[in-house]
Amino acid sequence: MLFMIAASGWFYPVQSQILSAHLDYPDHHLPWYTLEGDHFMVHYQLGNSHSAQLTLAIAEEIYKPITDLYRFEPDRKTNIILRDREDVSNGAAYYFDNKIEIWVPSIDMPFRGTHHWFKNVITHEFTHMVQLGASKRRSGRVPAIYLQWLSYENVRRPDVLYGFPNSIITYPLATVSIPAWFAEGTAQFQVSTLSYDQWDTHRDMLLRTRILADKALSLDEMNHFSSKNSLERELVYNQGYDFVRYLAERFGEEILADLTHTSAEYGLNDFKKVMERVTGIKADQLYSDWLENRKMNYLAQTEVITENAFETLSNSGFLNFYPQIHPETGAFAYISNLERDHARTSLIIVQQGESEQILLDPSLTPEIFELEHQCHFKNGTNANVTLNRVRNRPSFSSDGLSIAYTRPRLNRFGETYQDLHTYNLETGSENRITSSARVLDPDWHPHNNQVIAVQLQDKAQNLVLIDLDSGNLTQLTSFQSNETIYTPVWSADGIYIYFSLSTGGKRDIARLNRNSGVIELLLSSPDTDFREPFIRPDGVELL
């Protein structure tokens, strides 16, 4: 049995049964190495030595604050495995296997603010390991015990001992019984002395929207991830985090350890009883108190907001990002998950007066796609181009006849990396520009056949210039201290490149002068997460 908790807000469908031929495993063509510290062993492959050293340093740093809060230390060193064979940000804790897996890339998460990736994800996953260890009822070698009763038909063949089974009752006795909201809430809360994850405006927006619409998940619905789409699953994280914050504000953060240890007592399989035992207040009452407290705060905050006039272009999907409108052709593009229950997104391109739909996804036939994922617009037309598995910002060419974007491609080693592609709207042809380049967020040069993009590297992310004719990459910045870059854009004259830059737990707006190579910090505040820069169509002003 494996116990896994993912740190990311992105969820994808998993089939209960699948043919082995449909599974893609990376070819481990790179050698493995191990770094060992006092409490951790970090396993990594060639090319990730910097990430491994950083991981071990952070893990040893956060060991004592986490174990002190929960009054529990693991009885052996925890294994941390670094994964860098795909461009995905995630983390997972496998408690009964004594291992943590960390995906090295730091990529934007749409449901949350910006935080230092390694510090955040390592602390998050180790909190899981410690809390689960503190809450176990028996040895970690026994994940669960099942009591099972079977009854059989009276009628049976002469050559068999029993008749056909006609009923079964199974009663599981789990080693741990921490509900999803508490596990994920405490992993995000971490410890008050650490600030590697914080309640941010993105999380607050999601919670505020749900609470003011009276659509918050109930306490029972927060217990699990089943029967939920990706946005609802994120709400388990979101509401769990804020409910944990509320409990810590009301009772002190020691209550998190008290709830964890009390849950290990036999006879307290219902976490609501654990909450009542520790606080003296019924769990449903605590939940109602939290909900009422937040609702009153949100009503006060929104009282002065006046209604804005806007037009809804599409009602499809709950993930709709990076709208791009070409000022001359009127072509409109954006990223959407369409009608999917999960977070896999597609690039939608709409040209004026067009309604034909073109599908570029070999895993689906056009008939199936149009039936399940048709994208309808308010004016009655449909998207005329749909490019699947695109999750980053696209960019139109200056003439509006082509668009640049990145999508994951499988290389010969089984690694899935983001590569640059262009799509010609006149010919309907897609052109792959790079191979295993690991680039994101392209922006087309205002005059030349080049794009600026972000490249994922071991020590940091850097800006690269990609020639669309040759596919050659030229690195423009030299960050080496785990800096992350988002959504670069050209100035109208092609001299400056504006981009979001994170050197820690927030984003600033910076500008690179292509002539001098000088980087200026334009917008920076310790309390503000500055997001995507935009240049006005006239090229005069930064938005």
Side-chain angles (χ1 to χ4, degrees), residues 44-228:
Y44 66 99
Q45 288 184 280
L46 183 68
N48 290 131
S49 60
H50 174 81
S51 297
Q53 294 174 51
L54 181 63
T55 296
L56 184 59
I58 293 170
E60 295 292 353
E61 174 199 341
I62 58 98
Y63 179 86
K64 193 173 189 310
I66 299 297
T67 55
D68 282 354
L69 173 62
Y70 287 95
R71 306 187 296 274
F72 176 86
E73 291 191 54
D75 58 3
R76 49 186 170 163
K77 293 183 179 181
T78 302
N79 293 287
I80 301 179
I81 301 171
L82 299 186
R83 297 182 54 160
D84 197 24
R85 307 274 71 85
E86 52 195 331
D87 291 337
V88 173
S89 294
N90 206 347
Y94 300 81
Y95 172 72
F96 293 106
D97 284 346
N98 187 39
K99 72 174 182 179
I100 293 171
E101 290 191 356
I102 303 295
W103 281 253
V104 171
S106 174
I107 301 176
D108 194 12
M109 291 186 180
F111 296 133
R112 305 178 191 178
T114 306
H115 308 281
H116 189 290
W117 172 242
F118 279 101
K119 291 181 179 180
N120 186 6
V121 70
I122 293 166
T123 310
H124 182 116
E125 301 305 337
F126 186 60
T127 300
H128 282 319
M129 299 293 283
V130 171
Q131 184 184 61
L132 292 173
S135 69
K136 69 179 186 295
R137 295 189 173 94
R138 61 183 72 88
S139 169
R141 298 179 182 272
V142 183
I145 297 173
Y146 292 87
L147 302 179
Q148 196 168 82
W149 177 84
L150 294 169
S151 69
Y152 301 88
E153 298 282 356
N154 291 326
V155 180
R156 62 181 184 272
R157 286 168 24 197
D159 59 335
V160 298
L161 184 61
Y162 297 105
F164 193 81
N166 65 0
S167 60
I168 180 173
I169 297 175
T170 300
Y171 186 74
L173 299 172
T175 296
V176 295
S177 59
I178 298 292
W181 70 264
F182 189 61
E184 298 303 344
T186 51
Q188 293 171 95
F189 180 86
Q190 299 173 5
V191 181
S192 60
T193 56
L194 302 175
S195 58
Y196 301 149
D197 201 354
Q198 295 178 332
W199 188 254
D200 52 60
T201 55
H202 279 59
R203 289 176 166 116
D204 201 58
M205 174 186 65
L206 292 175
L207 184 64
R208 179 177 67 246
T209 302
R210 282 278 174 160
I211 288 181
L212 292 182
D214 295 322
K215 292 183 178 180
L217 298 179
S218 68
L219 188 56
D220 290 334
E221 290 172 328
M222 290 165 58
N223 284 340
H224 56 83
F225 293 113
S226 60
S227 301
K228 294 179 176 66

Side-chain angles (χ1 to χ4, degrees), residues 331 347 349 351 356 358 360 384-387 395-397 399-405 407 421-433 444 449 468:
L347 172 57
I349 309 171
Q351 291 176 282
E356 179 187 5
I358 302 172
L360 293 183
N384 70 302
V385 179
T386 303
L387 298 162
S395 174
F396 283 111
S397 60
D399 59 12
L401 300 180
S402 296
I403 192 166
Y405 53 93
R407 63 193 305 192
H421 298 72
T422 60
Y423 183 85
N424 189 298
L425 298 176
E426 288 188 321
T427 64
S429 59
E430 183 184 44
N431 183 27
R432 181 178 178 179
I433 306 298
W444 212 304
N449 202 29
L468 294 175

Side-chain angles (χ1 to χ4, degrees), residues 16-34:
S16 59
Q17 293 183 344
I18 187 169
L19 296 176
S20 58
H22 295 162
L23 295 172
D24 290 319
Y25 294 101
D27 179 6
H28 293 298
H29 59 289
L30 299 174
W32 283 89
Y33 302 93
T34 297

Side-chain angles (χ1 to χ4, degrees), residues 332-507:
F332 173 55
Y334 68 104
I335 302 297
S336 175
N337 73 321
L338 301 172
E339 300 300 328
R340 302 181 181 107
D341 287 334
H342 52 90
R344 196 186 79 192
T345 53
S346 300
L347 172 57
I348 310 300
I349 309 171
V350 184
Q351 291 176 282
Q352 294 298 315
E354 298 286 347
S355 60
E356 179 187 5
Q357 185 176 61
I358 302 172
L359 175 68
L360 293 183
D361 186 349
S363 66
L364 295 174
T365 65
E367 293 78 13
I368 293 177
F369 187 89
E370 289 176 5
L371 176 65
E372 296 183 352
H373 305 299
Q374 187 77 9
C375 186
H376 299 286
F377 287 82
K378 188 173 181 180
N379 61 7
T381 63
N382 297 320
N384 70 302
V385 179
T386 303
L387 298 162
N388 280 293
R389 295 181 175 86
V390 178
R391 62 172 181 257
N392 303 112
R393 187 205 57 192
S395 174
F396 283 111
S397 60
S398 58
D399 59 12
L401 300 180
S402 296
I403 192 166
Y405 53 93
T406 63
R407 63 193 305 192
R409 299 298 291 264
L410 192 68
N411 65 20
R412 66 189 182 93
F413 297 113
E415 299 160 330
T416 307
Y417 292 144
Q418 294 282 326
D419 274 308
L420 179 67
H421 298 72
T422 60
Y423 183 85
N424 189 298
L425 298 176
E426 288 188 321
T427 64
S429 59
E430 183 184 44
N431 183 27
R432 181 178 178 179
I433 306 298
T434 64
S435 178
S436 298
R438 311 191 73 174
V439 291
L440 307 168
D441 295 335
D443 190 60
W444 212 304
H445 192 282
H447 312 300
N448 303 330
N449 202 29
Q450 299 172 320
V451 300
I452 190 74
V454 177
Q455 186 175 49
L456 307 181
Q457 301 172 355
D458 181 43
K459 293 185 178 181
Q461 296 177 8
N462 277 290
L463 291 175
V464 292
L465 183 68
I466 305 176
D467 185 273
L468 294 175
D469 296 320
S470 66
N472 293 333
L473 277 70
T474 302
Q475 185 169 318
L476 301 181
T477 58
S478 54
F479 295 117
Q480 298 188 47
S481 301
N482 295 97
E483 295 90 345
T484 52
I485 299 175
Y486 309 88
T487 56
V489 293
W490 291 98
S491 62
D493 55 13
I495 296 177
Y496 294 100
I497 299 170
Y498 297 87
F499 57 97
S500 295
L501 173 66
S502 176
T503 58
K506 61 181 182 63
R507 296 189 202 181

